[in-house]
Amino acid sequence: MKMEKIVGERFKERPADCVIDSHALMIRGGYMKYVANGIYSQYAPLKRICRKIEQIIREEMDAIDGQEVQFPVALPASLWEETGRYESVGNELLRFKDRNGSKMVLGMTHEEAAVHLVKEYGQTYAKYPFMIYQIQTKFRDEARPRAGLIRVREFTMKDAYSFHTSQEDLEEYYERCYKAYERIFARAGIPETIAVASDSGMMGGSLSHEFMLLTPVGEDSIAICPECGYRANVEMAESIIENEKDAVQEELKLVHTPDIHTIEDVCRFLGTPEDKSCKAVVYQKNATDEFVVIFIRGDLDVNETKVTNFLKEEIHPGEITEGCGLLAGYIGPYNLPDHITVLYDSSLKGAANLSCGGNKEEYHYTGLCMERDLPEAEYHDFAKIKEGGICPQCKKPAVKVSRGIEVGNIFQLGTKYSKSMEMKYLDKDGTEKYPIMGCYGIGVGRLAASVCEAHHDEYGPIWPMSIAPWQVHLCCVRPDNEEVKGYADKLYEELQSQGIEVLYDDRKVSAGVMFSDADLMGIPVRVIASPRNMKEGCCEIVSRDKSIQKKAGLDQVCSEVKLLVEEMMR
């Protein structure tokens, strides 16, 4: 491919709306173009990168006995109604009607379609186990798309579904897929990806893992214990709090606290630390708008995922209105109206001498002792684990909280979908059973952006050889020089004849522009033909990461480059 023929422009300025480097570099480098919020078109370089990622995924899925299939993008709502997800999934699921008035959805995930495809096939135990996968465009009407391809609404994803006759067989296959994912991320250029235990969310199931690329710009928070190796998304990491017993229990008192609303203001006014306070966090159930109040120690934050899982209902931040029975800024657990759903976080268990809202305008309590004043309280884990917190595994106060980008996930789904869609098989003993499922996903575009985020400098991406849009970037400096141009043209043909992918830049532009564009293309090996090199009877061979800089004789360049490409592929 010749550089002058590539559709798309490259430019120096960082776009103002790009919050992370990979987004900025992929816009600047002519990889993609914004179409609408969370929707992008791909230019040839990005399409070539994604195609190589897809090929790596195919090879690894095929190696663990996967069979590639294709599901529809648009699906009848009736499939989703069978599992109950047509109603239970929120606005992320795009619902519409076709010209005949039939309800339809745009697939954001394909569990229902997978069961529908193999329902008749899997009627006997002899057919199991098996795994099917697809690489398909999906649409999720994300509320807050951001960071380029990291969080989008339309995306390409590999999703795989395995079917088993026993939990043991699922677990064995789950482990095979776990290792295949490690190979995929290593081959794609981010072997530093780690697996963390995660919440299954709307997917359901008993066990799930997310594969995370640790980076400060990541959207997810991960709890990591350096002492024992524990790793989990903070959404499901248990928060363990140990309250020290006070020598004396203070008397419960109602204190006038004029014009004070926040927990910080209350503690400042009373001269007490935040861990000696009880704060209220208010939500409402999506289905009924019923109020839910979570009481938690003042220095901690509520984990909404834990609350949702406990209630088995979606929630949203509460809007406190006049007459609802709650006083904003003064909500406390003592003498709260009976019609409110009240939950207590485990951080309050055994706590004493706390400050809390008085459920009275401009008043707070001091001296609240949970066991004495609220003996009927039941405690559950609703808090986010925090930096320096107690590790759920080794029980040492060593937890570190890091940020990460989720590049893949795997779930043990169980029989949630096979049961709801009445998929059954006849077992050896003649009894009917539901197959047990696993689910395994990787976002292709997100993986490409994550590699860019992990491997770039201020000038552009540094693509690994395995997924680079081209393997070699041939720069013909001063194409008006007949000797240079003649040699570069010949080298271009020779490299291609050796099966090497070459991007050839013979534009009549300055060396500065040529090299700047080459940095934005991020191709692993750069070969430079110039008048000065010609005089020395050589060409420069430089790696994009600058770790290799050498010269090779004119008749040796092709063989040297081929060896370098093969070495980088290994």
Side-chain angles (χ1 to χ4, degrees), residues 155 211 227 294 404 443 485 522:
F155 52 97
F211 289 80
E227 294 289 330
I294 294 99
K485 183 71 163 64

Side-chain angles (χ1 to χ4, degrees), residues 314-558:
E314 295 293 325
I315 56 172
H316 61 272
E319 185 179 344
I320 299 173
T321 55
E322 192 174 344
C324 73
L326 297 171
L327 288 171
Y330 302 100
I331 303 169
Y334 193 72
N335 286 337
L336 191 67
D338 292 336
H339 68 279
I340 306 294
T341 299
V342 177
L343 303 175
Y344 296 95
D345 181 64
S346 303
S347 59
L348 296 176
K349 190 172 184 179
N353 303 329
L354 303 173
S355 61
C356 67
N359 297 313
K360 182 179 178 182
E361 194 77 38
E362 295 197 336
Y363 279 87
H364 281 79
Y365 281 110
T366 60
L368 176 73
C369 297
M370 296 300 295
E371 291 179 0
R372 180 192 67 197
D373 302 319
L374 296 162
E376 304 302 317
E378 292 184 6
Y379 302 94
H380 302 277
D381 177 25
F382 300 118
K384 287 182 181 176
I385 195 168
K386 65 176 187 176
E387 184 87 15
I390 296 171
C391 171
Q393 187 165 279
C394 71
K395 303 299 187 281
K396 294 179 181 177
V399 167
K400 303 288 183 187
V401 178
S402 301
R403 305 292 291 177
I405 298 171
E406 180 191 341
V407 291
N409 50 52
I410 55 178
F411 300 88
Q412 291 186 17
L413 295 177
T415 57
K416 174 180 177 178
Y417 295 95
S418 55
K419 267 187 180 178
S420 60
M421 297 184 72
E422 283 298 311
M423 179 183 178
K424 298 178 182 178
Y425 68 91
L426 207 60
D427 207 357
K428 289 179 183 179
D429 59 5
T431 59
E432 282 191 331
K433 293 183 179 177
Y434 297 104
I436 301 168
M437 291 177 62
C439 171
Y440 320 89
I442 292 176
V444 176
R446 177 182 284 197
L447 180 50
S450 298
V451 174
C452 180
E453 191 64 42
H455 303 290
H456 70 272
D457 57 21
E458 61 184 301
Y459 306 109
I462 303 173
W463 298 112
M465 184 63 75
S466 57
I467 67 167
W470 289 272
Q471 296 170 323
V472 174
H473 196 135
L474 174 57
C475 295
C476 176
V477 179
R478 292 281 308 276
D480 55 329
N481 182 304
E482 288 185 12
E483 184 184 6
V484 174
K485 183 71 163 64
Y487 177 78
D489 286 350
K490 182 182 174 186
L491 181 59
Y492 177 47
E493 297 299 329
E494 192 177 356
L495 288 167
Q496 289 184 102
S497 71
Q498 294 294 314
I500 296 171
E501 301 168 8
V502 187
L503 180 62
Y504 181 26
D505 193 350
D506 62 349
R507 297 173 298 163
K508 293 179 180 178
V509 296
S510 70
V513 169
M514 189 174 286
F515 295 153
S516 177
D517 283 352
D519 284 338
L520 283 170
M521 297 308 294
I523 296 167
V525 176
R526 189 180 307 174
V527 179
I528 303 166
S530 67
R532 186 179 65 183
N533 288 336
M534 289 293 107
K535 283 182 184 177
E536 297 178 12
C538 66
C539 271
E540 289 179 74
I541 301 172
V542 183
S543 63
R544 173 63 185 84
D545 64 3
K546 306 297 190 287
S547 64
I548 298 169
Q549 291 180 310
K550 63 181 181 179
K551 293 185 177 182
L554 297 180
D555 57 347
Q556 314 256 292
V557 173
C558 186

Side-chain angles (χ1 to χ4, degrees), residues 255-299:
V255 178
H256 188 221
T257 50
D259 199 30
I260 288 177
H261 300 275
T262 68
I263 201 73
E264 294 82 8
D265 290 341
V266 171
C267 292
R268 197 177 301 116
F269 180 83
L270 298 173
T272 56
E274 289 183 19
D275 62 4
K276 277 296 184 183
S277 66
C278 167
K279 71 179 175 184
V281 185
V282 182
Y283 295 96
Q284 287 174 273
K285 296 179 181 179
N286 286 7
T288 62
D289 272 345
E290 177 189 342
F291 281 96
V292 179
V293 181
I294 294 99
F295 290 105
I296 188 171
R297 208 171 76 175
D299 60 325

Side-chain angles (χ1 to χ4, degrees), residues 69-75 79-80 83 85 105-117 132-139 155 157-161 163 202-203 413 417 421 437 439:
V69 299
Q70 187 83 54
F71 303 126
V73 177
L75 297 160
L79 286 181
W80 283 64
T83 61
R85 291 207 297 177
V105 301
L106 275 190
M108 56 187 284
T109 182
H110 280 79
E111 285 73 21
E112 288 85 354
V115 173
H116 177 268
L117 183 68
I132 54 176
Y133 74 94
Q134 67 160 353
I135 298 175
Q136 171 69 283
T137 299
K138 296 175 183 283
F139 189 90
F155 52 97
M157 185 172 178
K158 184 281 299 180
D159 50 331
Y161 305 94
F163 295 79
M202 72 166 211
M203 303 295 291
L413 295 177
Y417 295 95
M421 297 184 72
M437 291 177 62
C439 171

